[in-house]
Amino acid sequence: MAAESGANSLQVEYWNDVAGPKWVALDGLINDQIEGLGRTAIERAAPRPGEAVLDVGCGCGHSSVELAGHVGETGRVLGVDVSEPMLVQARSLARAAANLDFQVADAQTHGFEAAAFDLAFSRFGVMFFDDPQAAFANILRALRPGGRLVFVCWQEIAKNPWMAIPGAAAMQHLDPPAPPDPSAPGPFAFADRERVAGLLEAAGFSKVHHEALEARVTVGRGLGRAEILEFLVQMGPAGAAMREAVPEVQERIRASVAEAVTPWLTDEGMVAEALCWVVRAECPGN
Ligand SMILES: C[S@@+](CC[C@H](N)C(=O)[O-])C[C@H]1O[C@@H](n2cnc3c(N)ncnc32)[C@H](O)[C@@H]1O
């Protein structure tokens, strides 16, 4: 898709041309890794039969399918995402479920029907807006008074060794990047709970609540060691380092990542701690 009104153009390009095709190719593995975290967030959102749910940044649609199961035939789920390849995957996963639709849309700028949803949900899909306050204000307009927003997002990368360890091992082979802006759009942009609470309140939400969610994630479940390593160097900061590196440096990155993650390799895959927030907020005016 082309970015609507120029918003989020870098992320739109990234999720269509770089990350989207990768997520589709690795869909089963990635979903396996984050499914439990998403399920806990869905439990907190408590979708009920008959409710209308907006799944923001739904990607390949796993959470949308699960939400559709909760709201049943009398409810409906709309999954929106900027990534066309991921939505193709989502549609094939959903197999034309009557209560589930997908739409290519930028959640920050799309003109959703006003007050049409009981719940706006997201599994790791809201940390990529270039103007998060505007995006949450837009999502709020789509909620009915008393409607709720629930999403799961990562805490800081240092508290997520499943990604920090391969990332640090890879980055040592590149020139040190300028210190990143921790709030720039990206997977860890919502680590700071005060900032996120402020953004949500400024957007008009009330009753903002953060719950820390700690879990062990299994990366590359069921794969052999070599395949796990190949998976690891495609994702997150390690993947970004690989994209920048010439082939000779890529080999060094592979070797360093292999050494760094060895203590976390088990027969199941790479098993490491992950730390998230489950964030809840309410549309005022019930
Ligand atoms: C980390 S992935 C998560 C995908 C999916 N929710 C899951 O858990 O598998 C982030 C998703 O947010 C989507 N996204 C990023 N910016 C967006 C925006 N402005 N509007 C809608 N979706 C967006 C991406 O295309 C991607 O599918």
Side-chain angles (χ1 to χ4, degrees):
M1 74 174 276
E4 293 170 56
S5 61
N8 298 312
S9 54
L10 289 177
Q11 292 293 327
V12 170
E13 194 183 325
Y14 177 69
W15 286 102
N16 276 281
D17 300 340
V18 182
K22 206 164 275 178
W23 274 61
V24 170
L26 301 170
D27 182 32
L29 286 174
I30 294 174
N31 186 56
D32 179 76
Q33 195 177 306
I34 56 180
E35 191 171 35
L37 300 166
R39 207 157 268 161
T40 302
I42 290 177
E43 270 172 34
R44 300 297 187 269
R48 293 184 284 272
E51 286 196 318
V53 181
L54 178 65
D55 190 5
V56 179
C58 64
C60 298
H62 295 276
S63 52
S64 315
V65 169
E66 198 147 338
L67 289 161
H70 285 273
V71 301
E73 286 172 10
T74 54
R76 68 180 178 107
V77 175
L78 175 64
V80 293
D81 203 287
V82 291
S83 173
E84 300 199 27
M86 293 171 85
L87 287 181
V88 169
Q89 176 79 352
R91 289 192 179 101
S92 88
L93 180 79
R95 294 204 187 91
N99 63 349
L100 174 53
D101 276 317
F102 293 102
Q103 191 174 351
V104 180
D106 182 337
Q108 181 178 314
T109 54
H110 185 74
F112 296 112
E113 189 187 340
F117 295 93
D118 302 288
L119 167 66
F121 177 83
S122 186
R123 187 179 91 168
F124 302 112
V126 285
M127 305 88 86
F128 304 92
F129 304 124
D130 57 16
D131 186 343
Q133 185 182 320
F136 284 127
N138 195 41
I139 292 166
L140 180 78
R141 276 191 289 277
L143 284 173
R144 64 160 178 78
R148 54 219 193 272
L149 168 72
V150 178
F151 62 84
V152 58
C153 62
W154 301 111
Q155 296 199 29
E156 55 260 51
I157 188 166
K159 294 177 178 168
N160 281 284
W162 63 275
M163 198 178 258
I165 290 166
M171 294 310 285
Q172 66 182 314
H173 294 284
L174 299 180
D175 292 336
D181 171 0
S183 62
F188 301 99
F190 283 3
D192 180 343
R193 64 183 287 176
E194 302 301 331
R195 171 175 175 263
V196 172
L199 284 169
L200 289 166
E201 281 157 9
F205 280 95
S206 62
K207 301 185 188 167
V208 179
H209 177 271
H210 275 69
E211 174 190 350
L213 173 60
E214 194 172 354
R216 295 187 135 224
V217 293
T218 303
V219 183
R221 189 190 300 278
L223 300 181
R225 181 187 160 91
E227 293 164 295
I228 295 173
L229 292 171
E230 209 40 51
F231 177 58
L232 286 169
V233 295
Q234 292 188 60
M235 304 303 294
M242 287 290 275
R243 285 194 292 279
E244 272 187 44
V246 295
E248 188 193 319
V249 176
Q250 288 179 339
E251 279 320 301
R252 291 210 290 274
I253 290 176
R254 279 198 176 84
S256 291
V257 170
E259 191 185 340
V261 303
T262 294
W264 279 268
L265 290 182
T266 71
D267 291 344
E268 294 273 287
M270 177 194 175
V271 181
E273 300 300 323
L275 195 59
C276 303
W277 293 119
V278 177
V279 183
R280 285 180 269 170
E282 201 174 292
C283 174
N286 199 6

